[in-house]
Amino acid sequence: GGGGRGSGGGGSAAATSSAEEAVPLPRSAAAVLQRDQETARGFHEDLRMFAAKFGVRAELQDGLGAVVVRPVGGGLQQDVLRGAREELRGLIAYYFPEAAAPTAPAPAAVRAAAGSAVSSQPRRQVHLVVDPEKGAGLELSPTPEGFRVDHVEDYPGQELVVGETIVEIGGCVLAGLGEVAMEDAFGELFAHGAVLVVAPPGH
């Protein structure tokens, strides 16, 4: 009688090396990215800015199940990688809120006490419009949270309202930077199409 041959071992899935990070996307992300072109465009633009900021390559996996972060050239230091991972998770949570949903629902009493959710005012995302000759037509004042919008000119026109505060530009959070660093960051990332996150007046 012939002896049965053992079946070949399955392919071994290589663990992600320290030089490469895969940050998972929520299950709904693929559908959102395929269905909502504006969200997909904004997400890809923010990924590009994120990659430039940390000096990495950030690419969506083919199945849209994760974002793979690879260092450009040499490896990344662990603390830089950790910061990049945290910022990327925040970006994913912004575009796909279910990723950041709390695991346990808040008790009804807590929700009732929150009233109209004053503590977490809705923030929205807009794209900066910059005319090569006229600029953005904005007058801004620095505050601890970011830049308050003091005046918006009719041209080139912005999706901003006087009194709102720009709290983030191109993935860079402005709160707590200090006036000089905040102006430097804003000036560096100030460009047509830059993604702004704005908080409502009196937040």
Side-chain angles (χ1 to χ4, degrees):
R5 280 205 314 266
S7 60
S12 61
T16 304
S17 72
S18 60
E20 182 181 297
E21 281 280 330
V23 178
L25 292 171
R27 281 194 296 271
S28 66
V32 172
L33 289 170
Q34 287 165 349
R35 187 178 64 240
D36 188 335
Q37 287 189 334
E38 193 166 321
T39 298
R41 190 162 56 240
F43 185 60
H44 281 100
E45 179 69 16
D46 277 3
L47 266 189
R48 191 177 62 76
M49 290 183 173
F50 159 82
K53 177 179 175 181
F54 285 97
V56 297
R57 288 172 59 197
E59 298 166 347
L60 281 166
Q61 276 185 347
D62 291 342
L64 302 179
V67 175
V68 179
V69 178
R70 295 185 180 91
V72 178
L76 275 181
Q77 292 178 336
Q78 285 300 318
D79 56 340
V80 175
L81 192 60
R82 193 160 50 239
R85 193 165 53 225
E86 287 305 313
E87 181 149 333
L88 182 56
R89 281 181 180 149
L91 194 66
I92 291 168
Y94 180 87
Y95 278 96
F96 315 109
E98 76 160 44
T103 48
V110 173
R111 287 201 301 270
S116 58
V118 175
S119 59
S120 59
Q121 289 280 4
R123 295 183 173 190
R124 61 194 187 91
Q125 190 180 61
V126 301
H127 288 83
L128 187 63
V129 180
V130 181
D131 181 275
E133 294 178 4
K134 304 281 189 182
L138 285 173
E139 287 181 21
L140 306 173
S141 297
T143 74
E145 287 77 38
F147 282 102
R148 188 180 65 242
V149 179
D150 293 335
H151 179 70
V152 183
E153 298 196 0
D154 293 338
Y155 185 85
Q158 306 288 346
E159 302 173 64
L160 295 168
V161 178
V162 171
E164 288 185 316
T165 300
I166 300 168
V167 295
E168 192 175 311
I169 178 170
C172 176
V173 177
L174 300 173
L177 285 183
E179 193 171 323
V180 174
M182 194 158 66
E183 288 181 355
D184 286 348
F186 197 84
E188 188 177 324
L189 297 166
F190 181 89
H192 182 71
V195 178
L196 306 178
V197 177
V198 295
H203 73 291

